[in-house]
């Protein structure tokens, strides 16, 4: 659809799926390529969702041009994203996980075999095999371990080379290939090395292990990737399939897709509203919780709006369609989730940030090392120059650099899972400790989501049992959540419920019936006024209760108020403690809800929350998050409902309650399995600890290179005669990897101690 505003044509948007991107450098290459397509105005590529959002003019190259641009960069074009189509990214991810798993297993098996062969002198059962035969065998076995198992690294390095840049793939490919190439030279040309007085050692095991270990990190990261398309599918699944359309005085059941604006539709009890529209005739109550987050059903009368996918609870009504297809509120929410997810760029790994500088520097150092040792006036030789050249490349191999982040994230996410905190990948783990504002949804998140009787106030001449007995008698025929709460209270207090006669539900107001021969009423102030019942004596109390965030219903008998019942959606037991702990960490805490301002302020006051955003619809929830982000805040959204999904996706970190809806859970970055809000500050603490370990890992990985590379280049030789042969470089490389993994494992002890201190 082409939109126009003040004579200016706004660009259309199209979303496409792309497979094969692995880092921020890939994102930049794809974005630059797509921007070159004719008519393209803007491009936003999301690594996490494997999607590109392309804004274009009416006259442009088309989707086929986008596919060509993607393919020319070496990536796979998976098609255009459409609401009703299957997401091809899910299938591609499944294939990738399968491929990674197979290659990691094969790499691990080959690495073990190659290690045994490389250390032949350690194992008696291998002593009978001639050394040269063993070397030829290792040469053959290492080839698939490096070039097949590690094919994605070499492919990625070639893509980067074509763009005259580098990334982590370049580091891995160079390191592994250097070790393999040097070992192959030592295998086939041993005399060349012997002539320089150097034993021809081989490093086939190092080459294989480099590939296998880093590929294992990729596998762990791939498994932790969020299933973003699943949330969209769940939202689409809310759409009703058919509707009862009134045509020429008769009722016709037809697909929702065939409904046109202006059609009259009959909606029966228990059915979903098929499209957005306006009530024409009839009255009913609708469950709109999937849109508004409000647990209370909403009364609908002629002239009022109804929305697609909301559930009709009580009566039948006819409506006129005003919004169909992509113009419904539900479709709008689906688009918002897609756009929010697509606009959220992944956090670039610290290692990736320096890779583009690190690799060229290493190559330059290696080249300078070769030249110096080749042209030395006294001891210069090609063999010695080559050995030192390879030593620099081997010691600079990014095994420790590649393991620094994945191992810490693996331990951190594992600890989170043990604590009931599911973290979908390292991006959320990296981001959550940087938060400045935590925004909570109210209903079902801070509160239980179920109303309870909190107080019964009696008028003169009545007692609580009488008020509750009459109320329960009137409500026993109702399915309203407030009715269920009153009946539960009566059951808990063992109040006998009288029989009723002539029961009449008064939509939007309450109910009337004859109880023990007297006419009784239960409902809001409007019902009492309509039935000529004065509520003046209860006004002050009712207003005070309303200010506390409670819903008030009046109970009357024989045209006289006998009392009122206050109901409230009470806060969860863990809510106040969670808010206090977050504020203690220096974080700002806010609440956003579709509920009325009085109720919201009442709950917020109980919990110590000062910033309240009330009467906010789903679209506005996401806008409120973005407004905070525009002010420089790093925002987390905590929610549980479908209505929270756009805000969860728009936030820097989305946190879903595990007891909430599947859509909210899948749209979020973090899921709290336990319905315990203290898990929110725990997740922040875990993130801070994990990031501290990651920074330590990266520090030691870089220090190792800063110290090791000059030694490998021979800077100590003039002073001490020390040269670092490739075998020692490989040993140093292995040590750095072990130290990084050990430091990551130390996080378990650190986290355990923190939790023990918190519990005390």
């Amino acid at each position: 659809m082409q939109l126009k505003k003040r004579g200016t044509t706004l660009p259309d948007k199209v979303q496409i799926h792309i497979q094969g991107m692995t880092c921020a450098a890939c994102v930049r290459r794809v974005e630059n390529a797509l921007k070159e397509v004719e008519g393209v105005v803007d491009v936003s590529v999301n690594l996490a969702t494997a999607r590109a959002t392309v804004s274009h003019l009416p006259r442009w190259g088309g989707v086929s041009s986008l596919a060509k641009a993607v393919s020319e960069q070496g990536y796979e074009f998976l098609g255009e994203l459409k609401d009703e189509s299957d997401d091809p990214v899910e299938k591609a991810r499944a294939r990738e996980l399968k491929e990674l798993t197979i290659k990691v297993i094969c790499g691990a098996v080959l690495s073990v075999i190659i290690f045994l062969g490389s250390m032949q002198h350690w194992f008696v059962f291998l002593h009978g095999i001639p050394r040269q035969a063993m070397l030829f065998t290792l040469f053959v076995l290492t080839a698939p371990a490096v070039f097949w198992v590690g094919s994605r690294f070499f492919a990625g390095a070639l893509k980067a080379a074509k763009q005259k840049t580098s990334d982590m793939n370049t580091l891995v490919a160079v390191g592994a290939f250097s070790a393999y190439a040097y070992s192959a030279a030592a295998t086939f040309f041993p005399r060349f090395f012997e002539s320089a007085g150097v034993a021809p050692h081989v490093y086939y095991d190092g080459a294989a292990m480099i590939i296998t270990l880093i590929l294992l990190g990729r596998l762990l990261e791939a498994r932790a990737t969020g299933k973003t398309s699943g949330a969209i599918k769940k939202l689409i699944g809310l759409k009703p399939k058919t509707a009862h359309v009134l045509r020429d005085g008769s009722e016709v059941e037809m697909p929702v897709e065939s409904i046109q604006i202006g059609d009259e539709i009959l909606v029966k009890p228990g059915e979903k509203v098929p499209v957005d529209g306006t009530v024409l005739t009839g009255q009913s109550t609708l469950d709109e919780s999937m849109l508004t987050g409000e647990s209370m059903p909403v009364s609908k009368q002629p002239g009022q709006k109804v929305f697609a996918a909301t559930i009709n609870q009580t009566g039948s009504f006819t409506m006129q369609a005003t919004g169909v297809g992509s113009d419904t509120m539900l479709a709008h929410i689906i688009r918002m989730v897609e756009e929010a997810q697509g606009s959220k760029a992944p956090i670039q790994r610290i290692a990736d940030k320096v890779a583009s500088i690190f690799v060229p520097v290493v190559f330059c150092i290696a080249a300078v090392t070769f030249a110096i040792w080749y042209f030395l006036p006294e001891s210069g030789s090609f063999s010695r120059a080559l050995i030192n050249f390879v030593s620099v490349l081997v010691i600079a191999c990014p095994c420790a650099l590649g393991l620094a982040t994945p191992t810490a994230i693996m331990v951190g996410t594992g600890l989170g899972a043990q604590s009931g905190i599911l973290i979908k990948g390292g991006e959320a783990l990296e981001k959550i400790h940087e938060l400045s504002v935590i925004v909570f949804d109210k209903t079902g998140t801070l509160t239980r989501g179920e109303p309870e009787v909190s107080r019964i106030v009696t008028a003169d001449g009545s007692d609580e049992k009488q008020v509750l007995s009459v109320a329960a008698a009137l409500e026993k025929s109702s399915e309203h959540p407030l009715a269920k709460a009153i009946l539960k209270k009566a059951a808990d207090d063992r109040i006998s419920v009288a029989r009723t006669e002539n029961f009449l539900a008064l939509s939007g107001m309450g109910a009337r019936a004859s109880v023990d021969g007297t006419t009784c009423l239960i409902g809001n102030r409007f019902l009492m006024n309509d039935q000529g019942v004065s509520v003046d004596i209860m006004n002050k109390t009712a207003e005070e209760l309303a200010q506390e965030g409670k819903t008030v219903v009046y109970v009357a008998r024989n045209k006289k108020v006998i009392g009122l019942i206050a109901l409230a959606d009470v806060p969860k037991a863990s809510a106040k403690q969670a808010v206090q702990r977050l504020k203690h960490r220096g974080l700002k805490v806010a609440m956003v809800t579709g509920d009325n301002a009085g109720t919201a302020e009442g709950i917020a006051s109980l919990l110590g929350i000062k910033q309240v955003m009330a009467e906010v619809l789903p679209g506005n929830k996401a806008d409120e998050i973005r407004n905070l982000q525009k002010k420089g805040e790093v925002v987390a959204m905590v929610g549980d409902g479908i209505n929270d999904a756009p805000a969860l996706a728009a936030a820097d970190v989305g946190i879903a309650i595990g007891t909430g809806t599947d859509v909210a859970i899948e749209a979020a970055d973090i899921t709290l399995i336990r319905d315990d809000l203290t898990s929110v500050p725990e997740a922040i603490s875990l993130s801070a600890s994990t990031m501290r370990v990651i920074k330590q890992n990266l520090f030691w990985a870089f220090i190792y290179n800063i110290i090791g590379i000059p030694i490998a280049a021979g800077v100590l030789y003039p002073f001490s005669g020390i040269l670092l042969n490739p075998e020692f470089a490989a040993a140093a490389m292995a040590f750095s990897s072990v130290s990084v993994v050990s430091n990551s494992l130390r996080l378990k002890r650190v986290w355990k101690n923190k939790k023990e201190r918190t519990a005390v």
Side-chain angles (χ1 to χ4, degrees), residues 556-577:
R557 183 168 56 192
N558 290 332
K559 298 284 186 177
K560 183 180 178 181
V561 173
I562 61 173
L564 56 82
I565 300 176
L567 300 101
D569 186 8
V570 298
K572 294 177 179 177
S574 61
K576 190 171 184 177
Q577 184 183 359

Side-chain angles (χ1 to χ4, degrees), residues 31-169:
E31 284 184 344
N32 292 335
L34 292 176
K35 287 177 181 178
E36 295 298 320
V37 174
E38 180 185 359
V40 171
V41 178
D42 189 35
V43 178
S44 176
V45 177
N46 187 292
L47 179 63
T49 62
R51 293 175 183 171
T53 302
V54 181
S55 301
H56 62 86
L57 299 174
R59 297 182 63 182
W60 70 300
V63 176
S64 59
S65 298
L66 302 180
K68 183 180 179 182
V70 170
S71 300
E72 287 178 349
Q73 294 301 310
Y75 303 98
E76 185 180 357
F77 175 79
L78 298 179
E80 181 182 353
L81 174 65
K82 298 179 181 178
D83 286 346
E84 304 296 339
S85 64
D86 292 331
D87 188 352
V89 172
E90 286 302 309
K91 295 180 180 178
R93 278 181 176 156
R95 291 197 304 269
E96 183 183 26
L97 282 173
K98 184 178 179 181
E99 179 190 339
L100 283 171
T101 302
I102 293 172
K103 287 189 173 182
V104 167
I105 293 172
C106 292
V109 172
L110 288 171
S111 294
V112 171
I113 297 172
I114 294 166
F115 174 78
L116 293 175
S118 299
M119 302 300 167
Q120 184 182 9
H121 57 284
W122 287 5
F123 306 100
V124 178
F125 64 92
L126 296 176
H127 288 178
I129 302 175
R131 183 57 181 170
Q132 198 62 31
M134 178 62 76
L135 292 177
F136 288 144
T137 303
L138 294 177
F139 171 78
V140 173
L141 291 176
T142 308
V146 172
F147 299 108
W148 177 70
V149 175
S151 59
R152 63 177 53 232
F153 301 121
F154 290 94
L158 288 173
K159 293 175 188 175
K162 289 179 180 179
Q163 298 297 317
K164 299 179 181 179
T165 185
S166 59
D167 54 23
M168 283 295 295
N169 291 313

Side-chain angles (χ1 to χ4, degrees), residues 210-229:
I210 289 168
I211 294 295
T212 302
L213 289 172
I214 298 178
L215 197 68
L216 176 62
R218 290 282 177 91
L219 174 61
L220 296 172
E221 189 174 355
R223 285 182 173 176
T225 303
K227 300 178 181 178
T228 55
S229 62

Side-chain angles (χ1 to χ4, degrees), residues 220-227 349 408-433 653-656 665 668-673 679-691 747 751:
L220 296 172
E221 189 174 355
R223 285 182 173 176
T225 303
K227 300 178 181 178
R349 300 286 188 266
I409 288 175
M410 180 178 66
V411 175
T413 53
L415 291 172
Q418 294 174 10
S419 303
I421 305 167
L422 285 183
I423 304 171
K424 297 180 181 178
E427 293 173 13
L429 196 61
E430 290 176 338
K431 195 71 176 179
I432 191 173
H433 81 289
V653 178
I655 304 174
I665 292 170
D669 303 297
I670 296 173
T671 300
L672 307 182
I673 299 176
S679 296
V680 176
E682 281 187 17
I684 296 172
S685 178
L686 178 60
S687 170
S689 298
T690 305
M691 285 304 302
L747 179 60
W751 176 242

Side-chain angles (χ1 to χ4, degrees), residues 373-557:
W373 282 98
Y374 183 75
F375 292 107
L376 275 178
E378 296 181 1
S379 57
S381 68
F382 182 84
S383 58
R384 172 52 66 183
L386 178 62
I387 290 170
N388 288 351
F389 174 82
V390 173
S391 293
V392 171
L393 292 179
V394 170
I395 205 167
C397 178
C399 194
L401 194 61
L403 291 171
T405 300
T407 55
I409 288 175
M410 180 178 66
V411 175
T413 53
L415 291 172
Q418 294 174 10
S419 303
I421 305 167
L422 285 183
I423 304 171
K424 297 180 181 178
E427 293 173 13
L429 196 61
E430 290 176 338
K431 195 71 176 179
I432 191 173
H433 81 289
E434 302 174 354
L435 296 173
S436 59
V437 179
I438 310 290
V439 181
F440 286 92
D441 170 56
K442 181 184 77 69
T443 305
T445 302
L446 288 171
T447 67
R448 296 179 182 177
E450 298 178 356
E452 296 180 358
V453 175
S454 63
R455 187 179 174 186
I456 299 175
V457 182
T458 61
D460 294 340
S462 302
D463 57 39
E464 290 189 8
K465 288 185 177 180
Q466 290 177 328
V467 174
L468 188 57
S469 177
V470 172
L474 289 164
E475 296 286 28
K476 68 180 181 181
S477 300
S478 176
E479 293 295 323
H480 197 283
L482 296 182
K484 294 179 180 179
I486 291 172
L487 289 169
K488 183 179 183 301
K489 175 66 174 175
D492 292 342
D493 292 356
R494 298 181 179 179
I495 302 294
S496 60
V497 181
R499 293 182 60 185
T500 60
E501 297 178 347
N502 303 320
F503 177 84
L504 177 65
L506 302 169
S507 183
M509 293 188 291
R512 182 182 68 196
S514 178
V515 181
D516 295 332
T518 61
T519 301
C520 297
L521 299 168
I522 186 170
N524 55 27
R525 182 179 300 180
F526 301 106
L527 174 63
M528 300 298 146
N529 293 336
D530 183 71
Q531 299 293 316
V533 179
S534 175
V535 296
D536 292 343
I537 59 174
M538 310 294 288
N539 273 345
K540 185 178 179 180
T541 303
E543 289 175 359
E544 290 174 352
L545 291 170
Q547 290 176 358
E548 294 174 5
K550 297 179 173 64
T551 300
V552 177
V553 295
Y554 296 86
V555 183
R557 183 168 56 192

